[in-house]
Amino acid sequence: MNRTLELRGRWTLVTGASSGLGVELARAIARDHGGNVLVVARRRDRLEALCDELRSRYGVQAACIVADLSRTEEVERVFVEATRERELHGAALNAGVTYWGEALKQDWGELHAMLNTNVTSMVRLSTLFARHFIERRTEGGLLFVSSVAAFIPVPYQAAYSGTKAFILSYGQALGQELRPQGVSVTVFAPGGISTELLDKSGLSKRFKAGDMGVMSAEQSAAHALRAFLHRKELCVPGPLNQALALVARLLPRGFLAQRTAAMYKPSAEPR
Ligand SMILES: NC(=O)c1ccc[n+]([C@@H]2O[C@H](COP(=O)([O-])OP(=O)(O)OC[C@H]3O[C@@H](n4cnc5c(N)ncnc54)[C@H](OP(=O)(O)O)[C@@H]3O)[C@@H](O)[C@H]2O)c1
């Protein structure tokens, strides 16, 4: 397997590319690496605007698939449409949702959609694309977007932090299976990123752009892409997040959960 991924003139799929980190990943692949990009999300207008921008500014090919990744049949359709007329070389599985609040107050429909989007679609798409890379001998790569929340049981984001811990464990394990077959898996575990996700979940009451450890989506995408291209197994971007991940690995998980509960309690006054 080549030591690095070469994306120039090749297609990479990016899920969750209508906002935040996904947009910046798609931009960086096109702008910095001359890669063609296939973007996936639910909001068609945003995906089409991004594709127009990538084609006109960077001269790459760009296409979109509008799909709801919380629905199994749409996940299957994404793979079929993505590979019908093109060979893929990379898949950045970035789409994700979260919430901030008491577990028992979460609407089951929304929680179920989160589990499907963050976990089930990731497992299904990763196995489909890994098989595609192996069959085509493309020596492709998968990028999984997890979070530093993967290292810590996070009360008031209990199911979300569980999904991110799943992605970390699944990604690192799958990577070992796939590497001998010429496919790399990179798990990206960022801390706070200044995106719509913070506003949508209410977390922006706690974390703001400019806070220590909170990165811009552009900065975060640069870290993720570097790790992806170098086929790193795991990337925690920035010294603060790396220190947090290290400390989290050393401390008892019960203690971590207790301290995080005190800090995260939504009923506490926002700063
Ligand atoms: N922001 C942070 O502080 C932070 C920290 C650590 C990890 N992360 C992770 O980073 C990734 C990107 O998040 P972000 O911060 O960029 O959030 P964001 O700005 O809210 O973007 C989330 C993306 O996921 C897509 N998405 C959500 N549900 C979907 C569904 N059912 N089907 C298809 N696409 C769906 C959204 O598109 P549509 O709504 O158009 O479908 C959007 O493009 C997530 O996996 C998140 O967990 C974020």
Side-chain angles (χ1 to χ4, degrees), residues 97-101 103 106 111 114-115 118-119 145-170 189-190 197 203 253 256-257 260-261 264:
V97 277
T98 189
Y99 64 90
W100 182 40
Q106 301 313 307
L111 211 53
M114 182 190 73
L115 297 174
N118 293 13
V119 173
V145 178
S146 174
S147 164
V148 287
F151 300 101
I152 304 164
V154 183
Y156 309 109
Q157 282 191 299
Y160 172 76
S161 62
T163 67
K164 294 297 167 177
F166 176 95
I167 292 168
L168 173 65
S169 177
Y170 171 67
L197 177 133
L203 277 165
R253 289 175 67 79
L256 279 173
T260 311
Y264 258 45

Side-chain angles (χ1 to χ4, degrees), residues 16 18-19 21 42-43 68-69 94 160 164 191 193 195 200:
S18 62
S19 146
L21 181 60
R42 289 168 300 186
R43 286 171 286 181
D68 181 347
L69 296 175
N94 157 77
Y160 172 76
K164 294 297 167 177
I193 314 170
T195 66
K200 280 186 276 192

